[in-house]
Amino acid sequence: MSAFPKDERFSMFSLLAMSLQHNVRFHAVYDQEKFCGITYYAENKKTVYLTYLAINKELRGQGYSSKILTMLENNFPNKQIVIDIEPVTKKAQNYQQRVKRLKFYERNGFHRTDQKLKDSDGEFEALTTSKKFDKTEFIDTLRKMSFGFYQAKVEK
């Protein structure tokens, strides 16, 4: 709950309902017996959309996020992995946090796409591990993940 602001979270009911689909994965992440966090992603032919990567507050900064991202890249070597982050704009109140988040993802193999995911909650910058961002495939992944209900645009 502390990893994402309330307005950026799907309801637990929605997450559980969407995770019943064959292409959506909702995983608890453990290190031995220690609960580390969660991942939530949707997979399509060419795309893995990592909707949530949340690490237990007490364990942040210990490399778990990087290990999970590496694991995803190893598990899906021929697919673009896509995430979205708050846009890095100097006017934002949490500008430094946004810069730090972008640098973290860049260190872990992601790069900017110049595309924004726009929905009723705002605008988010799409990042990917792929050399070329496949916008059509990403939109299809979003649509399938949400049973066609999630209304978002992906544009510059």
Side-chain angles (χ1 to χ4, degrees), residues 92-124:
Q93 286 183 335
N94 64 340
Y95 172 71
Q96 291 302 323
Q97 180 186 41
R98 293 178 186 203
V99 169
K100 186 178 174 183
R101 187 176 296 126
L102 174 62
K103 288 181 187 272
F104 165 78
Y105 282 113
E106 288 177 333
R107 281 193 312 273
N108 282 279
F110 286 82
H111 64 85
R112 297 172 115 166
T113 64
D114 85 346
Q115 297 289 309
K116 305 274 192 277
L117 173 66
K118 299 176 181 181
D119 64 18
S120 61
D121 294 327
E123 184 176 286
F124 302 88

Side-chain angles (χ1 to χ4, degrees), residues 2-14:
S2 66
F4 291 89
K6 186 176 182 177
D7 62 335
E8 292 181 23
R9 293 190 302 249
F10 285 108
S11 71
M12 185 56 74
F13 175 79
S14 295

Side-chain angles (χ1 to χ4, degrees), residues 49-130:
Y49 172 45
L50 181 58
T51 310
Y52 293 110
L53 170 58
I55 301 300
N56 184 332
K57 193 169 25 177
E58 289 81 33
L59 300 176
R60 291 182 191 153
Q62 297 181 28
Y64 287 107
S65 292
S66 294
K67 289 177 186 175
I68 291 167
L69 292 172
T70 299
M71 180 189 70
L72 284 171
E73 289 183 65
N74 290 338
N75 288 343
F76 303 105
N78 298 318
K79 296 185 181 194
Q80 68 175 356
I81 299 173
V82 180
I83 59 164
D84 59 75
I85 62 171
E86 294 173 302
V88 180
T89 57
K90 291 187 179 187
K91 294 178 182 177
Q93 286 183 335
N94 64 340
Y95 172 71
Q96 291 302 323
Q97 180 186 41
R98 293 178 186 203
V99 169
K100 186 178 174 183
R101 187 176 296 126
L102 174 62
K103 288 181 187 272
F104 165 78
Y105 282 113
E106 288 177 333
R107 281 193 312 273
N108 282 279
F110 286 82
H111 64 85
R112 297 172 115 166
T113 64
D114 85 346
Q115 297 289 309
K116 305 274 192 277
L117 173 66
K118 299 176 181 181
D119 64 18
S120 61
D121 294 327
E123 184 176 286
F124 302 88
E125 184 175 349
L127 306 178
T128 186
T129 54
S130 178

